[in-house]
Amino acid sequence: MNGAQDLGGQMGFGPIELEENEPNFHGKWEERAFAITLAMGATGSWTLDTSRFARESLPPAIYLGTSYYEIWTRGLEKLCLQAGLFSEDELASGHKIQPPSPVKRVLKAEDVAATLAKGGPVDRPEPTPAAFKIGERIRTKVMHPEGHTRLPRYARGCEGVIEAVHGVHVFPDTNASGRGEQPTWLYGVAFNGQDVWGPDSDPKLSLRLDLWEPYLDRL
Amino acid sequence: MSSHDHDHSHDHNHSELSPIELRVRALETLLTEKGYVDPPALDELIETYETKIGPKNGARVVARAWSDPAYRDRLMSDATAAIAEFGFTGRQGEHMVAVENTPDTHNMVVCTLCSCYPWTVLGLPPVWYKSAPYRSRAVRDPSGVLTEFGVRLPEKTGIRVWDSTAEVRYLVIPMQPEGTEGWSEDQLAELVTRDSMIGTGLALSPQALEAAR
């Protein structure tokens, strides 16, 4: 979706603020927000793509106006409500009112290391041959879906070259919206900076994006 | 990142908690009462990223790539498998690709859409990596971004920016600093900074390492 998360090329955010010896967490609440988000991910109640969509569909003023772990927190509240894990009343009170809904698993301390080490690979068997080969020229689609997509706005309608074939990966656009994984070919695509940003832009820049087959048209 | 983020790490009584602290506390309490999360697992998750998973992991990968040509070849052809040789596997590192800096090409990584970052080798991303200023500018004006990081590249060096749009995670292999030939893997790893593996920095020179001590 064309939400506030799609930041590539937007202007006016000012300089990058660097912090010497930055800690992982700025305060206890960030630690807790991080940990409950990961632990709830392990319950299997939603996919990574669904959780990204929950965050990016926060109102733009909230997305841009709050810190990173607050975005995570608000995203997590939304995911739990959508999944029926608690009610608005329970969220407002901060306490259990109804009995819990069943979840696939509850992460235990002794399983943390193995769960993290396993991760969640998204490569899948190859159902069809790849449509594009390395070296072929493509143009990215012009599209403005209201649902989740991983084709950033700045890279739509641009000409590029297939540089890598990463295999078949879960398709975020469908997986985020409950339409299933619909695995499809993923490519590494190279773009000249000036083909994306125009003739006045840095001639030394080139860009690489990983893009799924449905985002691409043959030139 | 703003100064108010730093003011809440000490203990508070309830009345002093900020709105977001209250919000997170309420959510954690509710999730715990419902039995969806187990508090010791939360502590273990935090502890893991505070002590076990961080940029020191990536530095070891880079140091070995510099000192062992056969390892470097394995890393460039299948980074996921080569990094797994160290036991660095899993979450946010399921599909790794290593990209190598050369005199002609400097690589830099961003995620314009969220905060994709190779946790298995670099740990959790710093605030600036997730911030709007970096995400908005890295893909359009990387030279300007590098200047803010104090990095000046030779005029002839092209900049290749990797926008992490899928689950593939990129590790930049910085150029090995001059005068470090024959150094041990442990010594070399000290030269490898987090930023040099994102591409917003370069590996430290022996002089810079000495000065940093």
Side-chain angles (χ1 to χ4, degrees), chain B residues 116-159:
Chain B
C116 297
Y117 191 78
W119 289 11
T120 48
V121 281
L122 298 190
L124 301 176
V127 170
W128 61 258
Y129 184 85
K130 305 174 283 196
S131 72
Y134 182 70
R135 286 163 56 191
S136 60
R137 274 175 50 220
V139 282
R140 195 186 58 81
D141 177 27
S143 296
V145 167
L146 286 170
T147 302
E148 283 181 31
F149 279 88
V151 175
R152 281 184 69 88
L153 298 173
E155 197 51 45
K156 65 165 185 170
T157 304
I159 304 180

Side-chain angles (χ1 to χ4, degrees), chain B residues 38-54:
Chain B
D38 184 39
L42 303 180
D43 297 335
E44 182 65 26
L45 282 165
I46 295 162
E47 175 72 8
T48 301
Y49 284 97
E50 288 285 39
T51 62
K52 297 195 183 102
I53 305 181

Side-chain angles (χ1 to χ4, degrees), chain B residues 70-81:
Chain B
Y71 183 76
R72 181 237 163 235
D73 291 346
R74 293 202 295 284
L75 183 67
M76 297 314 293
S77 63
D78 183 351
T80 314

Side-chain angles (χ1 to χ4, degrees), chain A residues 106-113 115, chain B residues 35 37-38 40-42 44:
Chain A
V106 173
L107 183 65
K108 297 290 178 189
E110 60 269 26
D111 299 328
V112 164
T115 302
Chain B
V37 301
D38 184 39
L42 303 180
E44 182 65 26

Side-chain angles (χ1 to χ4, degrees), chain A residues 4-11 13-19 22 24-36 38-40 43 48-49 52 56 63-64 67-70 72-74 76-77 80 84-86 90-91 94-101 103 105-109 112 116-123 149-152 154 163 166 169 186 197 202 204-212, chain B residues 1-2 4-6 8-9 18 20-21 23-31 33-46 48-51 53 87 89-92 94-95 97 111-116 119-120 123-128 130-143 145 148-149 153-170 194-195:
Chain A
Q5 90 292 352
D6 191 353
L7 283 164
Q10 289 196 46
M11 297 175 191
F13 289 109
I16 296 158
E17 291 186 52
L18 304 175
E19 185 183 1
E22 184 183 331
N24 273 330
F25 303 106
H26 298 81
K28 285 278 172 209
W29 75 269
E30 290 198 348
E31 291 183 7
R32 306 317 285 180
F34 166 80
I36 56 177
L38 259 65
M40 287 307 294
T43 66
L48 174 65
D49 299 305
R52 285 182 177 147
E56 71 197 28
Y63 188 91
L64 293 172
S67 71
Y68 181 72
Y69 285 113
E70 180 160 355
W72 272 36
T73 303
R74 288 171 178 263
L76 179 58
E77 291 170 354
C80 291
L85 298 183
F86 53 62
E90 290 178 297
L91 180 59
H95 290 286
K96 180 171 90 164
I97 300 171
Q98 292 96 17
S101 306
V103 293
R105 71 191 79 81
V106 173
L107 183 65
K108 297 290 178 189
V112 164
L116 290 173
K118 191 164 157 245
V122 291
D123 51 335
T149 186
R150 299 296 285 182
L151 176 58
Y154 76 82
E163 194 180 60
H166 292 304
H169 285 221
L186 179 72
W197 303 113
D202 184 352
K204 289 188 302 183
L205 167 63
S206 68
L207 290 155
R208 300 291 185 282
L209 281 79
D210 292 325
L211 300 173
W212 280 265
Chain B
M1 180 176 56
S2 60
H4 76 260
D5 291 335
H6 310 290
H8 298 291
S9 54
S18 67
I20 182 61
E21 287 173 306
R23 195 166 189 141
V24 171
R25 178 173 289 194
L27 186 56
E28 182 180 343
T29 303
L30 175 56
L31 294 171
E33 286 180 10
K34 291 282 228 177
Y36 302 138
V37 301
D38 184 39
L42 303 180
D43 297 335
E44 182 65 26
L45 282 165
I46 295 162
T48 301
Y49 284 97
E50 288 285 39
T51 62
I53 305 181
T89 63
R91 183 151 182 152
Q92 295 291 318
E94 291 92 344
H95 310 283
V97 168
C111 172
T112 64
L113 292 173
C114 52
S115 55
C116 297
W119 289 11
T120 48
L124 301 176
V127 170
W128 61 258
K130 305 174 283 196
S131 72
Y134 182 70
R135 286 163 56 191
S136 60
R137 274 175 50 220
V139 282
R140 195 186 58 81
D141 177 27
S143 296
V145 167
E148 283 181 31
F149 279 88
L153 298 173
E155 197 51 45
K156 65 165 185 170
T157 304
I159 304 180
R160 191 173 285 178
V161 176
W162 301 80
D163 188 356
S164 295
T165 41
E167 305 314 325
V168 181
R169 299 285 170 268
Y170 293 90
R194 177 196 65 197
D195 289 6

Side-chain angles (χ1 to χ4, degrees), chain A residues 44-188:
Chain A
S45 307
W46 48 78
T47 67
L48 174 65
D49 299 305
T50 314
S51 66
R52 285 182 177 147
F53 187 57
R55 291 175 200 152
E56 71 197 28
S57 56
L58 291 168
I62 301 276
Y63 188 91
L64 293 172
T66 58
S67 71
Y68 181 72
Y69 285 113
E70 180 160 355
I71 295 171
W72 272 36
T73 303
R74 288 171 178 263
L76 179 58
E77 291 170 354
K78 199 161 151 177
L79 289 163
C80 291
L81 288 168
Q82 282 169 2
L85 298 183
F86 53 62
S87 65
E88 293 274 10
D89 287 348
E90 290 178 297
L91 180 59
S93 73
H95 290 286
K96 180 171 90 164
I97 300 171
Q98 292 96 17
S101 306
V103 293
K104 288 181 189 145
R105 71 191 79 81
V106 173
L107 183 65
K108 297 290 178 189
E110 60 269 26
D111 299 328
V112 164
T115 302
L116 290 173
K118 191 164 157 245
V122 291
D123 51 335
R124 298 291 182 266
E126 301 167 6
T128 53
F132 303 111
K133 293 195 295 287
I134 289 172
E136 277 190 288
R137 291 192 63 80
I138 55 85
R139 188 194 314 272
T140 54
K141 288 210 163 77
V142 174
M143 56 186 240
H144 294 274
E146 292 187 10
H148 184 64
T149 186
R150 299 296 285 182
L151 176 58
R153 253 181 295 185
Y154 76 82
R156 295 177 192 163
C158 294
E159 291 184 21
V161 180
I162 303 285
E163 194 180 60
V165 183
H166 292 304
V168 169
H169 285 221
V170 171
F171 188 42
D173 302 42
T174 57
N175 198 38
S177 61
R179 287 177 290 150
E181 293 193 341
Q182 304 198 21
T184 180
W185 286 91
L186 179 72
Y187 303 92

